[in-house]
Amino acid sequence: MQINLAYLYPGLLNIYGDRGNVLAFAKRCFWRDIKVKIYEIELADKIDPELYDFYFIGGGQDQQQIAVSEELQKQKSFFTEAAENKAVFLAICGGYQLLGHYYKPHKGDELRGISILDAYTVAGHSRYIGNVTIETKLLSQPSNTLVGFENHSGLTYLEPGTEPIGKIITGNGNNGEDKLEGAHKQNVFGTYLHGSFLPKNPHFTDYLIRLCLERRYGQVELTEIDNKLEWAAHKKAVKRKY
Ligand code: GLN
């Protein structure tokens, strides 16, 4: 089996180590003899919605978000088609904000998003920086917690039709008010959790791998792999105070 991974705009959205998500995803596939072909997509590269199973977009500063927002608009129809065809998206922070309807920074114009998540973001007056633990309904075994590190000033609000990824246990999450973190709709997931996110959440990584494989090959069972190190890191992160 093979997963085609589109790594979106790594030359621009790349300052929070979010590349670690692509490495963790690919490694957990490699350990199971699942091939992963990684396509690094830069500005003006055409998006082929038939080709890619998994789209990853990381976080970045407002400046880089402007360039990516403009590019996403040019290819919005392809991303929409991909999401409707149940391609899996994982978007972190700045990338997450651009999968919603818009991100309104403090200065300058509103950055339009591609609306594959019913959410919108406005600039906040303080920066949320710290360790985050959430409780998710998406997973139960072997844990329903997800951990990461947030660093954003944007405040994201979910509209009907889009669920959070989980509820805040420690940290601020989407906006520091409604105790929600992240967003998901069908196979599109956005989160504020850097860290990077997937290495310390092996159960969520495997969940995404299964979604990618099932859309192309039908029901799959992933072989068990040794997660001792990942769970040790997860448990240590859960104990971290904000
Ligand atoms: N510039 C956006 C914000 O501060 C996103 C930052 C990020 O990707 N960490 O909210």
Side-chain angles (χ1 to χ4, degrees):
M1 296 187 284
Q2 176 165 317
I3 294 175
N4 293 324
L5 188 157
Y7 182 6
L8 300 177
Y9 318 117
L12 285 164
L13 298 179
N14 60 7
I15 52 171
Y16 293 91
D18 293 326
R19 175 179 287 274
N21 293 292
V22 174
L23 300 178
F25 182 94
K27 201 73 178 170
R28 293 185 70 79
C29 287
F30 173 75
W31 286 330
R32 294 174 165 115
D33 294 328
I34 299 165
K35 276 197 267 161
V36 178
K37 192 157 183 221
I38 298 173
Y39 298 79
E40 293 205 354
I41 307 290
E42 294 299 355
L43 296 185
D45 287 351
K46 277 269 157 274
I47 293 296
D48 172 357
E50 291 302 314
L51 175 58
Y52 305 117
D53 305 292
F54 182 45
Y55 295 79
F56 176 76
I57 183 167
Q61 299 293 29
D62 292 17
Q63 202 47 45
Q64 286 75 22
Q65 284 182 284
I66 293 169
V68 172
S69 161
E70 286 163 4
E71 179 64 22
L72 289 172
Q73 288 309 312
K74 292 177 195 157
Q75 311 218 47
K76 180 175 175 180
S77 61
F78 299 127
F79 289 116
T80 306
E81 184 184 339
E84 285 166 355
N85 292 340
K86 296 211 175 11
V88 179
F89 286 74
L90 177 64
I92 311 287
C93 202
Y96 163 32
Q97 294 169 345
L98 296 178
L99 296 198
H101 301 309
Y102 59 84
Y103 166 50
K104 178 85 185 82
H106 275 303
K107 290 197 217 73
D109 301 336
E110 194 175 89
L111 277 58
R112 287 194 298 159
I114 52 174
S115 301
I116 57 175
L117 287 172
D118 288 322
Y120 63 91
T121 303
V122 294
H125 295 290
S126 56
R127 198 157 190 85
Y128 292 142
I129 302 179
N131 296 296
V132 177
T133 300
I134 67 172
E135 189 180 274
T136 181
K137 289 198 184 113
L138 295 169
L139 299 162
S140 53
Q141 292 308 324
S143 161
N144 67 349
T145 54
L146 293 170
V147 294
F149 188 86
E150 65 182 336
N151 178 343
H152 61 102
S153 60
L155 306 174
T156 297
Y157 298 88
L158 307 186
E159 295 183 308
T162 287
E163 295 296 313
I165 287 191
K167 282 207 166 86
I168 286 287
I169 298 172
T170 312
N172 290 284
N174 283 343
N175 51 51
E177 297 156 32
D178 58 18
K179 292 281 181 210
L180 302 178
E181 201 299 311
H184 82 95
K185 184 177 177 185
Q186 288 191 322
N187 285 352
V188 181
F189 301 88
T191 176
Y192 274 113
L193 301 189
H194 295 289
S196 43
F197 176 50
L198 292 183
K200 289 193 284 289
N201 298 292
H203 48 335
F204 195 79
T205 313
D206 289 352
Y207 171 61
L208 296 182
I209 293 171
R210 266 201 307 280
L211 289 176
C212 290
L213 293 174
E214 285 173 359
R215 69 183 289 274
R216 211 176 269 280
Y217 303 104
Q219 190 70 27
V220 293
E221 267 316 305
L222 293 183
T223 44
E224 284 305 311
I225 46 183
D226 175 359
N227 291 322
K228 248 197 306 309
L229 211 55
E230 290 82 352
W231 284 119
H234 184 96
K235 287 181 183 119
K236 202 160 169 68
V238 168
K239 291 197 186 86
R240 284 219 178 116
K241 296 280 163 273
Y242 193 74

mmCIF file of all heavy atoms in Angstrom, residues 13 15-16 18 58-65 92-97 103 105 111 121-124 126-128 149-156 191-192 194, ligand 1:
data_model
loop_
_atom_site.group_PDB
_atom_site.id
_atom_site.type_symbol
_atom_site.label_atom_id
_atom_site.label_comp_id
_atom_site.label_asym_id
_atom_site.label_seq_id
_atom_site.Cartn_x
_atom_site.Cartn_y
_atom_site.Cartn_z
ATOM 1 N N LEU A 13 5.946 27.988 5.543
ATOM 2 C CA LEU A 13 5.367 27.687 6.876
ATOM 3 C C LEU A 13 6.250 26.627 7.543
ATOM 4 O O LEU A 13 5.995 25.432 7.458
ATOM 5 C CB LEU A 13 3.923 27.203 6.707
ATOM 6 C CG LEU A 13 2.975 28.226 6.082
ATOM 7 C CD1 LEU A 13 1.574 27.649 5.935
ATOM 8 C CD2 LEU A 13 2.928 29.521 6.900
ATOM 9 N N ILE A 15 8.507 27.403 10.729
ATOM 10 C CA ILE A 15 9.384 27.924 11.801
ATOM 11 C C ILE A 15 9.091 27.316 13.161
ATOM 12 O O ILE A 15 9.670 27.686 14.157
ATOM 13 C CB ILE A 15 9.288 29.464 11.930
ATOM 14 C CG1 ILE A 15 7.838 29.904 12.062
ATOM 15 C CG2 ILE A 15 9.955 30.159 10.768
ATOM 16 C CD1 ILE A 15 7.700 31.345 12.405
ATOM 17 N N TYR A 16 8.178 26.339 13.239
ATOM 18 C CA TYR A 16 7.879 25.804 14.588
ATOM 19 C C TYR A 16 8.194 24.323 14.659
ATOM 20 O O TYR A 16 7.654 23.619 15.480
ATOM 21 C CB TYR A 16 6.390 26.014 14.897
ATOM 22 C CG TYR A 16 5.992 27.475 15.059
ATOM 23 C CD1 TYR A 16 5.558 28.214 13.956
ATOM 24 C CD2 TYR A 16 6.067 28.104 16.285
ATOM 25 C CE1 TYR A 16 5.202 29.546 14.088
ATOM 26 C CE2 TYR A 16 5.719 29.433 16.427
ATOM 27 C CZ TYR A 16 5.284 30.149 15.337
ATOM 28 O OH TYR A 16 4.925 31.467 15.471
ATOM 29 N N ASP A 18 7.304 22.044 12.680
ATOM 30 C CA ASP A 18 6.149 21.214 12.334
ATOM 31 C C ASP A 18 6.488 20.141 11.295
ATOM 32 O O ASP A 18 5.697 19.222 11.067
ATOM 33 C CB ASP A 18 5.001 22.108 11.834
ATOM 34 C CG ASP A 18 4.457 22.987 12.968
ATOM 35 O OD1 ASP A 18 4.445 22.514 14.126
ATOM 36 O OD2 ASP A 18 4.091 24.142 12.705
ATOM 37 N N GLY A 58 1.964 23.413 7.889
ATOM 38 C CA GLY A 58 2.459 23.781 9.215
ATOM 39 C C GLY A 58 2.128 25.221 9.576
ATOM 40 O O GLY A 58 1.361 25.896 8.880
ATOM 41 N N GLY A 59 2.735 25.676 10.664
ATOM 42 C CA GLY A 59 2.485 27.022 11.169
ATOM 43 C C GLY A 59 3.487 28.017 10.621
ATOM 44 O O GLY A 59 4.494 27.633 10.029
ATOM 45 N N GLY A 60 3.183 29.298 10.824
ATOM 46 C CA GLY A 60 4.085 30.334 10.336
ATOM 47 C C GLY A 60 3.628 31.706 10.772
ATOM 48 O O GLY A 60 2.519 31.861 11.283
ATOM 49 N N GLN A 61 4.497 32.660 10.597
ATOM 50 C CA GLN A 61 4.182 34.026 11.011
ATOM 51 C C GLN A 61 3.214 34.689 10.029
ATOM 52 O O GLN A 61 3.069 34.212 8.890
ATOM 53 C CB GLN A 61 5.472 34.856 11.068
ATOM 54 C CG GLN A 61 6.484 34.319 12.073
ATOM 55 C CD GLN A 61 6.012 34.438 13.535
ATOM 56 O OE1 GLN A 61 4.800 34.406 13.835
ATOM 57 N NE2 GLN A 61 6.940 34.574 14.436
ATOM 58 N N ASP A 62 2.592 35.780 10.479
ATOM 59 C CA ASP A 62 1.589 36.447 9.635
ATOM 60 C C ASP A 62 2.123 36.721 8.233
ATOM 61 O O ASP A 62 1.420 36.521 7.244
ATOM 62 C CB ASP A 62 1.179 37.784 10.294
ATOM 63 C CG ASP A 62 0.407 37.549 11.591
ATOM 64 O OD1 ASP A 62 0.474 36.420 12.123
ATOM 65 O OD2 ASP A 62 -0.252 38.484 12.059
ATOM 66 N N GLN A 63 3.377 37.179 8.118
ATOM 67 C CA GLN A 63 3.955 37.548 6.821
ATOM 68 C C GLN A 63 3.865 36.366 5.842
ATOM 69 O O GLN A 63 3.342 36.481 4.739
ATOM 70 C CB GLN A 63 5.426 37.972 7.016
ATOM 71 C CG GLN A 63 5.956 38.844 5.899
ATOM 72 C CD GLN A 63 5.000 39.989 5.529
ATOM 73 O OE1 GLN A 63 4.454 40.675 6.384
ATOM 74 N NE2 GLN A 63 4.742 40.133 4.235
ATOM 75 N N GLN A 64 4.344 35.199 6.289
ATOM 76 C CA GLN A 64 4.321 34.023 5.394
ATOM 77 C C GLN A 64 2.881 33.596 5.122
ATOM 78 O O GLN A 64 2.539 33.081 4.060
ATOM 79 C CB GLN A 64 5.093 32.853 6.026
ATOM 80 C CG GLN A 64 6.617 32.998 6.013
ATOM 81 C CD GLN A 64 7.121 33.995 7.058
ATOM 82 O OE1 GLN A 64 6.427 34.276 8.049
ATOM 83 N NE2 GLN A 64 8.293 34.542 6.822
ATOM 84 N N GLN A 65 2.015 33.809 6.114
ATOM 85 C CA GLN A 65 0.617 33.419 5.914
ATOM 86 C C GLN A 65 -0.020 34.215 4.771
ATOM 87 O O GLN A 65 -0.900 33.700 4.080
ATOM 88 C CB GLN A 65 -0.191 33.641 7.199
ATOM 89 C CG GLN A 65 0.046 32.579 8.268
ATOM 90 C CD GLN A 65 -0.809 32.831 9.482
ATOM 91 O OE1 GLN A 65 -0.517 33.720 10.272
ATOM 92 N NE2 GLN A 65 -1.867 32.071 9.612
ATOM 93 N N ILE A 92 -1.556 22.869 11.084
ATOM 94 C CA ILE A 92 -1.087 23.307 12.403
ATOM 95 C C ILE A 92 -1.067 24.837 12.456
ATOM 96 O O ILE A 92 -0.489 25.477 11.583
ATOM 97 C CB ILE A 92 0.339 22.795 12.701
ATOM 98 C CG1 ILE A 92 0.455 21.295 12.418
ATOM 99 C CG2 ILE A 92 0.751 23.144 14.141
ATOM 100 C CD1 ILE A 92 -0.195 20.349 13.359
ATOM 101 N N CYS A 93 -1.751 25.379 13.442
ATOM 102 C CA CYS A 93 -1.686 26.799 13.797
ATOM 103 C C CYS A 93 -1.940 27.727 12.599
ATOM 104 O O CYS A 93 -3.071 27.817 12.139
ATOM 105 C CB CYS A 93 -0.345 27.085 14.448
ATOM 106 S SG CYS A 93 -0.402 28.548 15.462
ATOM 107 N N GLY A 94 -0.893 28.381 12.084
ATOM 108 C CA GLY A 94 -1.085 29.307 10.954
ATOM 109 C C GLY A 94 -1.727 28.606 9.766
ATOM 110 O O GLY A 94 -2.588 29.160 9.080
ATOM 111 N N GLY A 95 -1.333 27.369 9.518
ATOM 112 C CA GLY A 95 -1.932 26.580 8.431
ATOM 113 C C GLY A 95 -3.384 26.278 8.741
ATOM 114 O O GLY A 95 -4.274 26.384 7.874
ATOM 115 N N TYR A 96 -3.647 25.948 9.993
ATOM 116 C CA TYR A 96 -5.024 25.670 10.480
ATOM 117 C C TYR A 96 -5.920 26.882 10.234
ATOM 118 O O TYR A 96 -7.028 26.774 9.714
ATOM 119 C CB TYR A 96 -4.915 25.297 11.951
ATOM 120 C CG TYR A 96 -6.141 25.333 12.837
ATOM 121 C CD1 TYR A 96 -7.416 25.042 12.355
ATOM 122 C CD2 TYR A 96 -6.005 25.627 14.194
ATOM 123 C CE1 TYR A 96 -8.528 25.059 13.195
ATOM 124 C CE2 TYR A 96 -7.100 25.634 15.045
ATOM 125 C CZ TYR A 96 -8.354 25.362 14.549
ATOM 126 O OH TYR A 96 -9.443 25.376 15.395
ATOM 127 N N GLN A 97 -5.395 28.076 10.596
ATOM 128 C CA GLN A 97 -6.192 29.291 10.440
ATOM 129 C C GLN A 97 -6.626 29.487 8.984
ATOM 130 O O GLN A 97 -7.710 29.990 8.707
ATOM 131 C CB GLN A 97 -5.385 30.502 10.935
ATOM 132 C CG GLN A 97 -5.115 30.463 12.436
ATOM 133 C CD GLN A 97 -4.104 31.483 12.904
ATOM 134 O OE1 GLN A 97 -3.366 32.060 12.099
ATOM 135 N NE2 GLN A 97 -4.023 31.686 14.200
ATOM 136 N N TYR A 103 -8.443 34.698 8.393
ATOM 137 C CA TYR A 103 -7.642 35.065 9.569
ATOM 138 C C TYR A 103 -7.462 36.582 9.504
ATOM 139 O O TYR A 103 -6.923 37.099 8.518
ATOM 140 C CB TYR A 103 -6.280 34.369 9.556
ATOM 141 C CG TYR A 103 -5.282 34.946 10.547
ATOM 142 C CD1 TYR A 103 -5.630 35.156 11.891
ATOM 143 C CD2 TYR A 103 -4.007 35.290 10.145
ATOM 144 C CE1 TYR A 103 -4.729 35.689 12.793
ATOM 145 C CE2 TYR A 103 -3.084 35.826 11.056
ATOM 146 C CZ TYR A 103 -3.461 36.017 12.377
ATOM 147 O OH TYR A 103 -2.571 36.552 13.271
ATOM 148 N N PRO A 105 -5.584 39.507 10.910
ATOM 149 C CA PRO A 105 -4.475 39.908 11.786
ATOM 150 C C PRO A 105 -4.714 41.311 12.341
ATOM 151 O O PRO A 105 -5.647 41.992 11.900
ATOM 152 C CB PRO A 105 -3.256 39.869 10.859
ATOM 153 C CG PRO A 105 -3.786 39.927 9.472
ATOM 154 C CD PRO A 105 -5.209 39.512 9.488
ATOM 155 N N LEU A 111 -6.895 37.808 5.831
ATOM 156 C CA LEU A 111 -6.328 36.762 4.974
ATOM 157 C C LEU A 111 -7.421 35.730 4.718
ATOM 158 O O LEU A 111 -7.950 35.141 5.666
ATOM 159 C CB LEU A 111 -5.153 36.068 5.687
ATOM 160 C CG LEU A 111 -3.791 36.741 5.621
ATOM 161 C CD1 LEU A 111 -3.832 38.142 6.177
ATOM 162 C CD2 LEU A 111 -2.754 35.917 6.354
ATOM 163 N N THR A 121 -10.802 33.134 12.313
ATOM 164 C CA THR A 121 -9.789 33.543 13.303
ATOM 165 C C THR A 121 -9.607 35.054 13.274
ATOM 166 O O THR A 121 -9.545 35.655 12.198
ATOM 167 C CB THR A 121 -8.437 32.859 12.998
ATOM 168 O OG1 THR A 121 -8.619 31.427 12.989
ATOM 169 C CG2 THR A 121 -7.377 33.207 14.039
ATOM 170 N N VAL A 122 -9.534 35.615 14.474
ATOM 171 C CA VAL A 122 -9.227 37.053 14.592
ATOM 172 C C VAL A 122 -8.009 37.195 15.502
ATOM 173 O O VAL A 122 -7.765 36.336 16.373
ATOM 174 C CB VAL A 122 -10.425 37.835 15.174
ATOM 175 C CG1 VAL A 122 -11.602 37.818 14.208
ATOM 176 C CG2 VAL A 122 -10.836 37.294 16.538
ATOM 177 N N ALA A 123 -7.219 38.249 15.297
ATOM 178 C CA ALA A 123 -6.007 38.437 16.116
ATOM 179 C C ALA A 123 -6.421 38.740 17.553
ATOM 180 O O ALA A 123 -7.366 39.489 17.809
ATOM 181 C CB ALA A 123 -5.196 39.600 15.557
ATOM 182 N N GLY A 124 -5.713 38.137 18.487
ATOM 183 C CA GLY A 124 -5.968 38.415 19.911
ATOM 184 C C GLY A 124 -4.998 39.473 20.412
ATOM 185 O O GLY A 124 -4.124 39.925 19.664
ATOM 186 N N SER A 126 -3.120 39.020 23.246
ATOM 187 C CA SER A 126 -1.957 38.435 23.939
ATOM 188 C C SER A 126 -1.580 37.156 23.202
ATOM 189 O O SER A 126 -2.347 36.644 22.383
ATOM 190 C CB SER A 126 -2.323 38.105 25.403
ATOM 191 O OG SER A 126 -3.458 37.254 25.390
ATOM 192 N N ARG A 127 -0.379 36.693 23.491
ATOM 193 C CA ARG A 127 0.099 35.492 22.793
ATOM 194 C C ARG A 127 -0.055 34.311 23.746
ATOM 195 O O ARG A 127 0.344 34.384 24.903
ATOM 196 C CB ARG A 127 1.570 35.698 22.406
ATOM 197 C CG ARG A 127 2.019 34.763 21.341
ATOM 198 C CD ARG A 127 3.243 35.286 20.565
ATOM 199 N NE ARG A 127 3.393 34.375 19.420
ATOM 200 C CZ ARG A 127 2.737 34.503 18.265
ATOM 201 N NH1 ARG A 127 1.940 35.518 18.085
ATOM 202 N NH2 ARG A 127 2.878 33.622 17.287
ATOM 203 N N TYR A 128 -0.652 33.242 23.277
ATOM 204 C CA TYR A 128 -0.756 32.025 24.088
ATOM 205 C C TYR A 128 0.473 31.177 23.798
ATOM 206 O O TYR A 128 0.674 30.738 22.659
ATOM 207 C CB TYR A 128 -2.004 31.242 23.723
ATOM 208 C CG TYR A 128 -3.311 31.920 24.098
ATOM 209 C CD1 TYR A 128 -4.417 31.830 23.259
ATOM 210 C CD2 TYR A 128 -3.449 32.643 25.286
ATOM 211 C CE1 TYR A 128 -5.623 32.449 23.594
ATOM 212 C CE2 TYR A 128 -4.639 33.267 25.624
ATOM 213 C CZ TYR A 128 -5.722 33.156 24.777
ATOM 214 O OH TYR A 128 -6.914 33.764 25.104
ATOM 215 N N PHE A 149 2.253 21.887 22.062
ATOM 216 C CA PHE A 149 2.726 23.182 22.565
ATOM 217 C C PHE A 149 2.104 24.285 21.706
ATOM 218 O O PHE A 149 2.212 24.235 20.474
ATOM 219 C CB PHE A 149 4.264 23.245 22.462
ATOM 220 C CG PHE A 149 4.860 24.448 23.136
ATOM 221 C CD1 PHE A 149 5.161 24.409 24.494
ATOM 222 C CD2 PHE A 149 5.076 25.631 22.430
ATOM 223 C CE1 PHE A 149 5.702 25.528 25.132
ATOM 224 C CE2 PHE A 149 5.600 26.756 23.056
ATOM 225 C CZ PHE A 149 5.912 26.701 24.414
ATOM 226 N N GLU A 150 1.469 25.244 22.355
ATOM 227 C CA GLU A 150 0.820 26.296 21.561
ATOM 228 C C GLU A 150 1.671 27.573 21.552
ATOM 229 O O GLU A 150 2.375 27.874 22.519
ATOM 230 C CB GLU A 150 -0.586 26.602 22.097
ATOM 231 C CG GLU A 150 -0.637 27.187 23.493
ATOM 232 C CD GLU A 150 -2.073 27.416 23.993
ATOM 233 O OE1 GLU A 150 -2.990 27.565 23.156
ATOM 234 O OE2 GLU A 150 -2.278 27.412 25.221
ATOM 235 N N ASN A 151 1.614 28.302 20.433
ATOM 236 C CA ASN A 151 2.302 29.582 20.338
ATOM 237 C C ASN A 151 1.572 30.405 19.281
ATOM 238 O O ASN A 151 1.891 30.342 18.089
ATOM 239 C CB ASN A 151 3.769 29.376 19.930
ATOM 240 C CG ASN A 151 4.500 30.715 19.774
ATOM 241 O OD1 ASN A 151 3.868 31.765 19.654
ATOM 242 N ND2 ASN A 151 5.819 30.685 19.763
ATOM 243 N N HIS A 152 0.533 31.094 19.685
ATOM 244 C CA HIS A 152 -0.278 31.858 18.723
ATOM 245 C C HIS A 152 -0.965 33.034 19.399
ATOM 246 O O HIS A 152 -1.186 33.018 20.615
ATOM 247 C CB HIS A 152 -1.332 30.945 18.074
ATOM 248 C CG HIS A 152 -2.305 30.339 19.061
ATOM 249 N ND1 HIS A 152 -3.586 30.813 19.247
ATOM 250 C CD2 HIS A 152 -2.180 29.287 19.930
ATOM 251 C CE1 HIS A 152 -4.199 30.076 20.170
ATOM 252 N NE2 HIS A 152 -3.371 29.150 20.604
ATOM 253 N N SER A 153 -1.297 34.043 18.574
ATOM 254 C CA SER A 153 -2.092 35.145 19.130
ATOM 255 C C SER A 153 -3.491 35.121 18.496
ATOM 256 O O SER A 153 -4.411 35.756 18.970
ATOM 257 C CB SER A 153 -1.430 36.497 18.827
ATOM 258 O OG SER A 153 -1.336 36.656 17.418
ATOM 259 N N GLY A 154 -3.621 34.346 17.447
ATOM 260 C CA GLY A 154 -4.924 34.245 16.782
ATOM 261 C C GLY A 154 -5.943 33.540 17.675
ATOM 262 O O GLY A 154 -5.588 32.618 18.417
ATOM 263 N N LEU A 155 -7.194 33.992 17.585
ATOM 264 C CA LEU A 155 -8.301 33.371 18.336
ATOM 265 C C LEU A 155 -9.260 32.757 17.310
ATOM 266 O O LEU A 155 -9.782 33.467 16.450
ATOM 267 C CB LEU A 155 -9.034 34.435 19.172
ATOM 268 C CG LEU A 155 -8.151 35.265 20.114
ATOM 269 C CD1 LEU A 155 -8.986 36.387 20.762
ATOM 270 C CD2 LEU A 155 -7.496 34.383 21.164
ATOM 271 N N THR A 156 -9.447 31.445 17.399
ATOM 272 C CA THR A 156 -10.264 30.737 16.392
ATOM 273 C C THR A 156 -11.599 30.316 16.997
ATOM 274 O O THR A 156 -11.650 29.799 18.113
ATOM 275 C CB THR A 156 -9.505 29.496 15.877
ATOM 276 O OG1 THR A 156 -8.296 29.940 15.220
ATOM 277 C CG2 THR A 156 -10.334 28.705 14.865
ATOM 278 N N THR A 191 -5.261 22.085 14.188
ATOM 279 C CA THR A 191 -4.951 22.172 15.616
ATOM 280 C C THR A 191 -3.914 23.258 15.853
ATOM 281 O O THR A 191 -3.132 23.567 14.940
ATOM 282 C CB THR A 191 -4.413 20.822 16.156
ATOM 283 O OG1 THR A 191 -4.041 20.976 17.537
ATOM 284 C CG2 THR A 191 -3.186 20.359 15.381
ATOM 285 N N TYR A 192 -3.924 23.800 17.084
ATOM 286 C CA TYR A 192 -2.872 24.747 17.474
ATOM 287 C C TYR A 192 -1.664 24.027 18.057
ATOM 288 O O TYR A 192 -0.700 24.659 18.467
ATOM 289 C CB TYR A 192 -3.440 25.762 18.490
ATOM 290 C CG TYR A 192 -4.100 26.943 17.808
ATOM 291 C CD1 TYR A 192 -5.470 27.171 17.885
ATOM 292 C CD2 TYR A 192 -3.335 27.831 17.070
ATOM 293 C CE1 TYR A 192 -6.060 28.252 17.245
ATOM 294 C CE2 TYR A 192 -3.919 28.921 16.425
ATOM 295 C CZ TYR A 192 -5.278 29.125 16.520
ATOM 296 O OH TYR A 192 -5.858 30.201 15.877
ATOM 297 N N HIS A 194 1.635 22.594 18.316
ATOM 298 C CA HIS A 194 2.968 22.344 17.756
ATOM 299 C C HIS A 194 3.626 21.274 18.630
ATOM 300 O O HIS A 194 2.974 20.639 19.454
ATOM 301 C CB HIS A 194 3.822 23.627 17.843
ATOM 302 C CG HIS A 194 3.332 24.752 17.012
ATOM 303 N ND1 HIS A 194 3.388 24.780 15.642
ATOM 304 C CD2 HIS A 194 2.762 25.921 17.386
ATOM 305 C CE1 HIS A 194 2.889 25.918 15.202
ATOM 306 N NE2 HIS A 194 2.500 26.625 16.225
HETATM 307 N N1 GLN B 1 0.584 34.072 13.052
HETATM 308 C C1 GLN B 1 -0.470 33.241 13.631
HETATM 309 C C2 GLN B 1 -0.772 33.580 15.102
HETATM 310 O O1 GLN B 1 0.077 34.115 15.776
HETATM 311 C C3 GLN B 1 -0.036 31.781 13.557
HETATM 312 C C4 GLN B 1 1.214 31.512 14.379
HETATM 313 C C5 GLN B 1 1.681 30.056 14.259
HETATM 314 O O2 GLN B 1 1.558 29.409 13.216
HETATM 315 N N2 GLN B 1 2.264 29.539 15.373
HETATM 316 O O3 GLN B 1 -1.859 33.252 15.583
#
